[in-house]
Every structure is written in C-alpha cells, then in structure tokens.
Amino acid sequence: MVEEKTMAVSSEGLPTQTFRRINFPRRRRWLWRYGPLIFWAVLIFIGSTDVLSASHTAGPLRRVLFWVFPHISEQTLSTLQFLLRKAGHVTEYAILALLAARAFTSSSRELLRSHWFWLSLLFVVAYSLSDEFHQSFVPSRTGSIYDSLIDSLGGLTMLALLALGKRREAGNSLSTHP
C-alpha cells in the first residue's frame, strides 16, 4: 500500500530525496479527492440557512467591531459589517474553487484533468446560483444575483491565481531543464 521512490542520487550514490506515495483503494482515492469538496459544499449549504443569517451574525460581529474600534460610528459599523459579510462570500467560494481544482486536477479522468479550470469555474458558478436559489426559500435570508456574482468572483480569483501558479511552475521547470 505504501510505495517509496527515490527522486535523485547524489555524487556519492546516496539518495537525495525520497517520497512516499500512498496507494489507496479506488473508493478511498475518490473520497480523498472529492471528500473535502463535498464537505465544504455542505458547510456552505448549512451556512445558507438561518444559522448564518445577518440577524444571527450581526450581534457577535458588532461586539467584536466595538471591541476593536470602541469609538466607531453607526454608519461605519454598518459599512464594515456589510464589507465583512461580502468578504465572507469571496473567501468561502475561493476555498470551494480551490477544492474543486484540487479534485479535478488529481482526477483519474483525463477530461477533468485537462479542463480543470473551466470545470471548476462552472462548478463554482452553478453552486453559487443554486445556493442563492436555496436562500430564497429561507425566511430570514434573501437570494441575490449580486451575491452570486461576488461568490463567482471569489472562485474566479482563486482559479486565476492557481492557473498563474501552474503556468509559472511549468515555466520554471522548462527553464531549469534544457
């Protein structure tokens, strides 16, 4: 189940880098690949219920903001609450995009691996739209296309950063090997 490989050999003939690769059974590999993505999607779904509605998060958020900024005005407080809630949207969907990209780039299916960027973005946008649709049925929440756009922007930003990193990594590996 555990396979050890040597990456390089020094001039003295000693291995300079080894790594362990764990070969999970097929079902466990699928869970390892998609489990975090599913878990995060479930957390977003739970957060879209009454649990994380503005009415439930406003009190604790106000207390923290008053503690950090004791002389904050009501208008500034409202603006900060709004910005923090929207930053939460960006962050939660950036993480969703990261987990989708992780799942798709490590997939056993060539289609998923080769089109990971667009499939991850499609997944994030579709999940964002379905999440806002879900919120439209929760009495203390409202579904908003603008929130969906903010969610999608968070996912797109993360995917762009990942693609840039992959491109830079590929460029570095080409420049170090003639």
Side-chain angles (χ1 to χ4, degrees):
M1 185 150 128
V2 175
E3 178 181 314
E4 196 168 300
K5 292 189 177 183
T6 302
M7 294 292 290
V9 178
S10 70
S11 60
E12 294 85 30
L14 299 171
T16 57
Q17 184 179 16
T18 60
F19 68 93
R20 290 182 182 205
R21 180 177 176 179
I22 301 172
N23 292 321
F24 290 119
R26 186 177 180 95
R27 221 178 244 172
R28 284 187 64 193
R29 275 184 291 193
W30 188 91
L31 186 60
W32 181 259
R33 186 177 297 129
Y34 294 103
L37 176 62
I38 293 167
F39 177 75
W40 192 254
V42 168
L43 284 180
I44 290 174
F45 183 84
I46 292 169
S48 295
T49 63
D50 188 48
V51 173
L52 289 180
S53 66
S55 60
H56 285 123
T57 59
L61 191 54
R62 289 174 74 84
R63 284 191 289 279
V64 169
L65 288 172
F66 272 130
W67 179 73
V68 174
F69 307 106
H71 303 293
I72 194 169
S73 71
E74 190 62 39
Q75 183 178 3
T76 304
L77 180 66
S78 295
T79 302
L80 280 175
Q81 279 182 293
F82 175 79
L83 291 174
L84 286 172
R85 289 185 63 76
K86 298 311 166 191
H89 279 267
V90 170
T91 303
E92 70 182 330
Y93 278 86
I95 293 169
L96 185 71
L98 175 70
L99 294 173
R102 175 188 174 270
F104 296 153
T105 57
S106 65
S107 176
S108 58
R109 310 257 185 227
E110 175 60 31
L111 177 70
L112 295 177
R113 283 194 316 273
S114 60
H115 299 291
W116 68 270
F117 182 92
W118 296 110
L119 291 171
S120 297
L121 183 60
L122 179 65
F123 176 77
V124 167
V125 170
Y127 197 79
S128 170
L129 289 169
S130 70
D131 184 48
E132 294 301 321
F133 182 69
H134 165 244
Q135 287 182 30
S136 70
F137 293 102
V138 178
S140 62
R141 305 295 298 255
T142 56
S144 167
I145 192 70
Y146 299 111
D147 281 349
S148 184
L149 288 171
I150 291 168
D151 298 339
S152 299
L153 181 64
L156 177 61
T157 302
M158 176 58 77
L159 292 172
L161 290 172
L162 289 172
L164 203 63
K166 282 184 175 287
R167 180 170 285 176
R168 184 171 283 163
E169 187 178 289
N172 285 344
S173 69
L174 289 177
S175 65
T176 58
H177 301 301

